[in-house]
Amino acid sequence: MTLDRAGSAPNKHAIVDARVIVTCPGRNFVTVRIETRGGVHGIGDATLNGRELAVASYLTDHVLPCLIGRDARQIEDIWQFFYRGAYWRRGPVTMTAIAAVDVALWDIKAKTAGMPLYDLLGGASRRGVMVYGHANGGTIDETIEQARHYRAMGYKAIRLQSGVPGLAATYGVSRDKLFYEPADSARPTEQVWSTAKYLPTVPKLFEAAREALGWEVHLLHDVHHRLTPIEAGRLGKDLEPFRPFWLEDCTPAENQESFRLIRQHTTTPLAVGEVFNSVWDAKQLIDEQLIDYIRTTLVHAGGISHVRRIAHLAELNNVRTGFHGATDLSPACMGAALHFDLWVPNFGIQEYMRHTAETDAVFPHAYTFDQGELHPGDAPGHGVDIDEKLAATFPYRAASLPISRLEDGTMSDW
Ligand SMILES: O=C(O)[C@@H](O)[C@@H](O)[C@H](O)[C@H](O)CO
Ligand SMILES: [Mg+2]
């Protein structure tokens, strides 16, 4: 629906250009750029690790052609058009495509209003956004060494991921120490998993970390979907003496009810949701307060317009936000998420895996790091742009996430 009324001057808010930019400055990113007749443009992240071209095609073939001529101010109507109009609702590809358009339109709206996005959302609710970094190492000692570096950089919160004795590889451990890229080959590499080998390792890691770092720093851990609910309850209980900030993705969350069992066994705070793409993936978890942090972030769950609904439901149920912020989410997502984080009343923490210098050059941004916090900056919009000429020098490169099998060959959860 456009607002060009007969006989009126051409609507300067009409969308006249919308395009997808695929680039690979060390890893693949997909970005939507939208421009209005008045010359205001906005960008949104559309990156889905390992499925980038599926989202790019969904946007190019089914979404962007429907945008031309629409009024960029009608963010909600456009969101509803692409959500209800898809017929085949939800799913990571659809909701990532909708998210990219949504965030680009919010970027345009804030720029047009001449204000940083957080002001448009309702203003700052805090001074800055507490973030957590990623200390990882092949052994507990190496991981603690990395954690000391993060402490020295001023981080107030640190995720700990260490190798597991007897396993060649595991989630979250890599040669890169400031960023983490798991999509390591064109076709999925295979990793072997053993819960029996893993379960005794994490309490030892946390005991060593508290010994080395003390009790001031928040310590987090990502189980990455690998335990059964009762195993997750056991790990949660084993970690209680070391007071983790959270235990993340402790079990696959399709069956939201299974978190009732975990809650019966442990008070360790639980974080879930980076793989969710709509409120329906989390509604029972939030309604029944089965989790403490919801990780679902803008790029994979329909953008600001939908994640705002998730955050409001969470606020009613004592659940705080803890947005996903891995290296494979672009600076365009990080920038927009930081504005959301600065505003949202029930903020918890923001994940901050840094990007490489190459990526930062493609995506100039206003956000800055200081003393364990990020601030989105006060530039109008979300403060992130894309250098299209530079982006074009980094062609797409096929990359897939690993898969995981148990030691007997049974397919497991990476
Ligand atoms: O908590 C996290 O950041 C992880 O779960 C991610 O590294 C995740 O593995 C990647 O985003 C997958 O692409
Ligand atoms: Mg995770």
Side-chain angles (χ1 to χ4, degrees):
M1 179 176 75
T2 66
L3 291 180
D4 275 333
R5 287 181 292 279
S8 64
N11 176 3
K12 68 175 181 173
H13 303 289
I15 295 169
V16 294
D17 183 63
R19 53 180 181 266
V20 177
I21 300 150
V22 179
T23 182
C24 186
R27 68 142 290 109
N28 295 310
F29 293 108
V30 181
T31 307
V32 164
R33 184 187 187 281
I34 297 173
E35 185 162 340
T36 65
R37 182 178 284 137
V40 183
H41 78 274
I43 70 168
D45 185 15
T47 308
L48 184 64
N49 200 357
R51 298 294 181 271
E52 290 86 357
L53 295 189
V55 180
S57 154
Y58 191 97
L59 283 160
T60 304
D61 299 334
H62 306 292
V63 171
L64 301 190
C66 301
L67 269 180
I68 304 304
R70 287 182 182 279
D71 188 312
R73 293 172 296 181
Q74 294 181 277
I75 297 177
E76 190 61 51
D77 182 67
I78 289 170
W79 195 96
Q80 298 293 335
F81 176 87
F82 287 122
Y83 181 79
R84 297 170 188 273
Y87 188 74
W88 314 107
R89 292 184 184 190
R90 298 187 284 155
V93 172
T94 300
M95 298 305 279
T96 298
I98 293 174
V101 170
D102 187 76
V103 170
L105 293 176
W106 276 102
D107 191 18
I108 288 171
K109 191 177 276 287
K111 283 177 176 176
T112 305
M115 60 174 73
L117 181 55
Y118 69 81
D119 262 345
L120 191 63
L121 292 171
S125 303
R126 53 197 58 80
R127 179 197 60 240
V129 175
M130 180 171 73
V131 295
Y132 69 90
H134 290 268
N136 75 83
T139 65
I140 288 177
D141 287 348
E142 283 173 24
T143 307
I144 302 299
E145 209 37 53
Q146 287 301 317
R148 290 185 203 278
H149 288 318
Y150 274 93
R151 263 324 247 154
M153 285 191 278
Y155 281 79
K156 299 171 185 162
I158 301 169
R159 187 183 83 169
L160 304 171
Q161 304 293 141
S162 82
V164 176
L167 295 182
T170 188
Y171 165 73
V173 179
S174 77
R175 66 188 174 294
D176 301 319
K177 296 307 172 193
L178 272 184
F179 41 83
Y180 174 61
E181 181 44 69
D184 52 6
S185 72
R187 294 289 167 261
T189 54
E190 294 208 0
Q191 293 185 2
V192 175
W193 174 252
S194 159
T195 296
K197 291 186 168 83
Y198 165 78
L199 277 180
T201 307
V202 187
K204 288 182 193 141
L205 171 63
F206 270 71
E207 185 174 19
R210 284 298 181 207
E211 185 65 33
L213 304 167
W215 295 87
E216 291 298 299
V217 63
H218 297 303
L219 298 176
L220 303 85
H221 182 68
D222 189 349
V223 184
H224 220 258
H225 325 279
R226 301 186 178 197
L227 302 180
T228 64
I230 199 66
E231 290 165 347
R234 183 173 139 201
L235 179 58
K237 191 183 287 188
D238 289 349
L239 292 179
E240 282 173 15
F242 312 113
R243 294 212 312 275
F245 183 87
W246 80 30
L247 196 59
E248 175 187 343
D249 281 336
C250 57
T251 192
E254 288 96 325
N255 180 1
Q256 299 181 49
E257 198 163 310
S258 61
F259 280 72
R260 288 178 181 163
L261 182 62
I262 303 169
R263 273 307 210 211
Q264 284 167 19
H265 292 281
T266 183
T267 57
T268 290
L270 302 176
V272 178
E274 68 181 48
V275 297
F276 294 172
N277 55 77
S278 89
V279 66
W280 304 107
D281 293 327
K283 188 169 182 311
Q284 184 179 4
L285 291 169
I286 295 172
D287 283 344
E288 296 184 21
Q289 302 186 36
L290 299 178
I291 58 173
D292 303 280
Y293 297 92
I294 182 70
R295 291 194 28 82
T296 314
T297 191
L298 308 180
V299 60
H300 297 137
I304 289 166
S305 299
H306 191 65
V307 173
R308 200 167 47 165
R309 292 184 166 87
I310 296 174
H312 288 326
L313 178 67
E315 184 190 3
L316 300 179
N317 291 285
N318 301 305
V319 175
R320 284 175 281 178
T321 64
F323 282 170
H324 187 200
T327 302
D328 49 275
L329 285 57
S330 93
C333 178
M334 179 55 77
L338 289 169
H339 284 269
F340 195 104
D341 291 334
L342 202 66
W343 153 73
V344 71
N346 50 321
F347 170 74
I349 197 167
Q350 168 68 53
E351 177 176 8
Y352 179 42
M353 273 191 199
R354 293 174 184 238
H355 291 102
T356 62
E358 268 181 334
T359 297
D360 286 342
V362 171
F363 294 96
H365 53 266
Y367 55 85
T368 51
F369 176 84
D370 181 41
Q371 290 310 308
E373 295 181 347
L374 279 173
H375 192 284
D378 292 302
H382 60 46
V384 186
D385 208 341
I386 184 165
D387 179 334
E388 290 191 68
K389 276 206 181 64
L390 185 57
T393 65
F394 297 108
Y396 170 81
R397 189 179 63 216
S400 298
L401 285 167
I403 63 109
S404 184
R405 291 184 183 276
L406 303 183
E407 289 166 305
D408 68 0
T410 305
M411 194 63 198
S412 182
D413 298 296
W414 177 75

Short mmCIF file of all heavy atoms in Angstrom, two decimals, residues 243-269:
data_model
loop_
_atom_site.label_atom_id
_atom_site.label_comp_id
_atom_site.label_asym_id
_atom_site.label_seq_id
_atom_site.Cartn_x
_atom_site.Cartn_y
_atom_site.Cartn_z
N ARG A 243 28.76 -20.24 41.21
CA ARG A 243 27.86 -19.14 40.86
C ARG A 243 28.02 -18.67 39.40
O ARG A 243 28.42 -17.52 39.16
CB ARG A 243 28.04 -17.97 41.80
CG ARG A 243 27.63 -18.26 43.23
CD ARG A 243 27.07 -17.03 43.94
NE ARG A 243 27.88 -15.85 43.80
CZ ARG A 243 28.94 -15.55 44.57
NH1 ARG A 243 29.31 -16.40 45.51
NH2 ARG A 243 29.62 -14.44 44.41
N PRO A 244 27.68 -19.50 38.41
CA PRO A 244 27.74 -19.02 37.02
C PRO A 244 26.69 -17.94 36.78
O PRO A 244 25.63 -17.96 37.41
CB PRO A 244 27.43 -20.25 36.19
CG PRO A 244 27.25 -21.39 37.12
CD PRO A 244 27.20 -20.88 38.51
N PHE A 245 27.01 -17.01 35.89
CA PHE A 245 26.03 -16.00 35.48
C PHE A 245 24.90 -16.70 34.72
O PHE A 245 23.73 -16.38 34.89
CB PHE A 245 26.71 -14.96 34.59
CG PHE A 245 25.83 -13.83 34.16
CD1 PHE A 245 25.68 -12.70 34.95
CD2 PHE A 245 25.14 -13.89 32.95
CE1 PHE A 245 24.88 -11.63 34.55
CE2 PHE A 245 24.32 -12.84 32.54
CZ PHE A 245 24.19 -11.71 33.34
N TRP A 246 25.31 -17.66 33.83
CA TRP A 246 24.30 -18.48 33.18
C TRP A 246 24.94 -19.73 32.57
O TRP A 246 26.14 -19.78 32.36
CB TRP A 246 23.51 -17.72 32.12
CG TRP A 246 24.11 -17.52 30.76
CD1 TRP A 246 24.98 -18.30 30.07
CD2 TRP A 246 23.80 -16.43 29.87
NE1 TRP A 246 25.23 -17.78 28.82
CE2 TRP A 246 24.53 -16.64 28.68
CE3 TRP A 246 22.99 -15.28 29.95
CZ2 TRP A 246 24.47 -15.76 27.59
CZ3 TRP A 246 22.93 -14.42 28.87
CH2 TRP A 246 23.67 -14.64 27.71
N LEU A 247 24.07 -20.72 32.33
CA LEU A 247 24.40 -21.92 31.58
C LEU A 247 23.54 -21.85 30.33
O LEU A 247 22.32 -21.71 30.41
CB LEU A 247 24.05 -23.17 32.41
CG LEU A 247 24.65 -24.49 31.98
CD1 LEU A 247 26.16 -24.46 31.99
CD2 LEU A 247 24.15 -25.62 32.92
N GLU A 248 24.18 -21.82 29.18
CA GLU A 248 23.48 -21.53 27.92
C GLU A 248 23.22 -22.80 27.11
O GLU A 248 24.05 -23.68 27.03
CB GLU A 248 24.33 -20.58 27.09
CG GLU A 248 23.80 -20.29 25.72
CD GLU A 248 24.75 -19.47 24.87
OE1 GLU A 248 25.67 -18.85 25.45
OE2 GLU A 248 24.60 -19.46 23.65
N ASP A 249 22.03 -22.82 26.46
CA ASP A 249 21.66 -23.92 25.55
C ASP A 249 22.04 -25.27 26.14
O ASP A 249 22.73 -26.08 25.51
CB ASP A 249 22.35 -23.70 24.20
CG ASP A 249 21.59 -22.66 23.37
OD1 ASP A 249 20.38 -22.48 23.60
OD2 ASP A 249 22.22 -22.02 22.51
N CYS A 250 21.59 -25.52 27.38
CA CYS A 250 22.02 -26.74 28.08
C CYS A 250 21.37 -27.99 27.50
O CYS A 250 21.85 -29.11 27.72
CB CYS A 250 21.75 -26.64 29.57
SG CYS A 250 20.04 -26.32 29.99
N THR A 251 20.25 -27.81 26.76
CA THR A 251 19.60 -28.95 26.10
C THR A 251 18.86 -28.41 24.88
O THR A 251 18.46 -27.25 24.87
CB THR A 251 18.64 -29.67 27.08
OG1 THR A 251 18.24 -30.92 26.52
CG2 THR A 251 17.39 -28.84 27.36
N PRO A 252 18.67 -29.20 23.80
CA PRO A 252 17.89 -28.70 22.66
C PRO A 252 16.51 -28.26 23.15
O PRO A 252 15.90 -28.91 24.01
CB PRO A 252 17.80 -29.91 21.74
CG PRO A 252 19.00 -30.75 22.09
CD PRO A 252 19.19 -30.55 23.57
N ALA A 253 16.02 -27.11 22.64
CA ALA A 253 14.86 -26.48 23.29
C ALA A 253 13.57 -26.60 22.49
O ALA A 253 12.61 -25.90 22.75
CB ALA A 253 15.17 -25.00 23.53
N GLU A 254 13.53 -27.54 21.53
CA GLU A 254 12.23 -27.70 20.82
C GLU A 254 11.14 -28.07 21.82
O GLU A 254 10.02 -27.60 21.76
CB GLU A 254 12.30 -28.79 19.75
CG GLU A 254 13.11 -28.45 18.52
CD GLU A 254 14.52 -28.99 18.61
OE1 GLU A 254 15.07 -29.01 19.74
OE2 GLU A 254 15.07 -29.39 17.57
N ASN A 255 11.47 -28.97 22.76
CA ASN A 255 10.50 -29.36 23.78
C ASN A 255 10.66 -28.44 24.98
O ASN A 255 11.44 -28.72 25.91
CB ASN A 255 10.71 -30.82 24.20
CG ASN A 255 9.69 -31.23 25.27
OD1 ASN A 255 8.83 -30.43 25.65
ND2 ASN A 255 9.81 -32.45 25.75
N GLN A 256 9.96 -27.30 24.95
CA GLN A 256 10.13 -26.28 25.99
C GLN A 256 9.81 -26.86 27.38
O GLN A 256 10.42 -26.49 28.38
CB GLN A 256 9.24 -25.09 25.68
CG GLN A 256 9.58 -24.42 24.33
CD GLN A 256 8.72 -23.22 24.01
OE1 GLN A 256 8.54 -22.34 24.85
NE2 GLN A 256 8.18 -23.17 22.79
N GLU A 257 8.89 -27.84 27.42
CA GLU A 257 8.47 -28.41 28.71
C GLU A 257 9.64 -29.08 29.45
O GLU A 257 9.68 -29.14 30.67
CB GLU A 257 7.39 -29.45 28.43
CG GLU A 257 6.56 -29.83 29.64
CD GLU A 257 5.28 -30.53 29.20
OE1 GLU A 257 4.59 -29.99 28.32
OE2 GLU A 257 5.02 -31.64 29.72
N SER A 258 10.65 -29.54 28.68
CA SER A 258 11.76 -30.30 29.31
C SER A 258 12.54 -29.43 30.29
O SER A 258 13.24 -29.92 31.15
CB SER A 258 12.69 -30.86 28.24
OG SER A 258 13.27 -29.82 27.49
N PHE A 259 12.36 -28.10 30.17
CA PHE A 259 13.09 -27.22 31.10
C PHE A 259 12.47 -27.26 32.49
O PHE A 259 13.09 -26.83 33.46
CB PHE A 259 13.14 -25.80 30.54
CG PHE A 259 14.21 -25.61 29.50
CD1 PHE A 259 14.07 -26.17 28.23
CD2 PHE A 259 15.39 -24.95 29.81
CE1 PHE A 259 15.08 -26.04 27.29
CE2 PHE A 259 16.40 -24.82 28.87
CZ PHE A 259 16.25 -25.37 27.60
N ARG A 260 11.22 -27.80 32.60
CA ARG A 260 10.64 -27.95 33.95
C ARG A 260 11.52 -28.92 34.75
O ARG A 260 11.79 -28.70 35.93
CB ARG A 260 9.22 -28.53 33.85
CG ARG A 260 8.18 -27.56 33.31
CD ARG A 260 6.84 -28.25 33.21
NE ARG A 260 5.79 -27.39 32.67
CZ ARG A 260 4.63 -27.86 32.20
NH1 ARG A 260 4.40 -29.19 32.21
NH2 ARG A 260 3.71 -27.06 31.72
N LEU A 261 12.00 -29.97 34.07
CA LEU A 261 12.82 -30.97 34.77
C LEU A 261 14.13 -30.33 35.24
O LEU A 261 14.59 -30.52 36.35
CB LEU A 261 13.12 -32.14 33.82
CG LEU A 261 13.93 -33.30 34.41
CD1 LEU A 261 13.19 -33.94 35.58
CD2 LEU A 261 14.21 -34.35 33.33
N ILE A 262 14.73 -29.52 34.37
CA ILE A 262 16.02 -28.89 34.74
C ILE A 262 15.81 -27.96 35.93
O ILE A 262 16.56 -27.99 36.91
CB ILE A 262 16.60 -28.11 33.54
CG1 ILE A 262 16.76 -29.04 32.34
CG2 ILE A 262 17.94 -27.47 33.91
CD1 ILE A 262 17.07 -28.33 31.03
N ARG A 263 14.74 -27.19 35.88
CA ARG A 263 14.44 -26.24 36.96
C ARG A 263 14.24 -26.96 38.30
O ARG A 263 14.57 -26.41 39.35
CB ARG A 263 13.15 -25.47 36.65
CG ARG A 263 13.27 -24.19 35.82
CD ARG A 263 14.26 -23.21 36.32
NE ARG A 263 13.89 -21.83 35.99
CZ ARG A 263 14.78 -20.88 35.77
NH1 ARG A 263 16.07 -21.16 35.82
NH2 ARG A 263 14.40 -19.64 35.50
N GLN A 264 13.78 -28.20 38.26
CA GLN A 264 13.56 -28.93 39.52
C GLN A 264 14.88 -29.24 40.21
O GLN A 264 14.93 -29.45 41.42
CB GLN A 264 12.85 -30.26 39.24
CG GLN A 264 11.36 -30.15 38.95
CD GLN A 264 10.82 -31.47 38.38
OE1 GLN A 264 11.45 -32.53 38.54
NE2 GLN A 264 9.69 -31.39 37.69
N HIS A 265 15.98 -29.25 39.42
CA HIS A 265 17.24 -29.75 39.99
C HIS A 265 18.30 -28.68 40.24
O HIS A 265 19.30 -28.96 40.88
CB HIS A 265 17.82 -30.82 39.06
CG HIS A 265 16.99 -32.07 39.03
ND1 HIS A 265 17.04 -33.02 40.03
CD2 HIS A 265 16.05 -32.49 38.16
CE1 HIS A 265 16.18 -33.99 39.77
NE2 HIS A 265 15.57 -33.69 38.63
N THR A 266 18.11 -27.48 39.69
CA THR A 266 19.19 -26.51 39.85
C THR A 266 18.70 -25.07 39.85
O THR A 266 17.70 -24.75 39.21
CB THR A 266 20.26 -26.68 38.75
OG1 THR A 266 21.33 -25.76 38.99
CG2 THR A 266 19.67 -26.43 37.35
N THR A 267 19.43 -24.23 40.60
CA THR A 267 19.14 -22.79 40.60
C THR A 267 20.10 -22.05 39.67
O THR A 267 20.08 -20.82 39.62
CB THR A 267 19.33 -22.22 42.03
OG1 THR A 267 20.68 -22.50 42.45
CG2 THR A 267 18.33 -22.82 43.00
N THR A 268 20.97 -22.78 38.99
CA THR A 268 21.87 -22.11 38.04
C THR A 268 21.04 -21.42 36.96
O THR A 268 20.16 -22.06 36.37
CB THR A 268 22.84 -23.12 37.40
OG1 THR A 268 23.76 -23.56 38.41
CG2 THR A 268 23.62 -22.51 36.25
N PRO A 269 21.25 -20.10 36.72
CA PRO A 269 20.45 -19.39 35.72
C PRO A 269 20.63 -20.00 34.33
O PRO A 269 21.74 -20.40 33.95
CB PRO A 269 21.01 -17.96 35.77
CG PRO A 269 21.64 -17.84 37.12
CD PRO A 269 22.19 -19.20 37.43
#
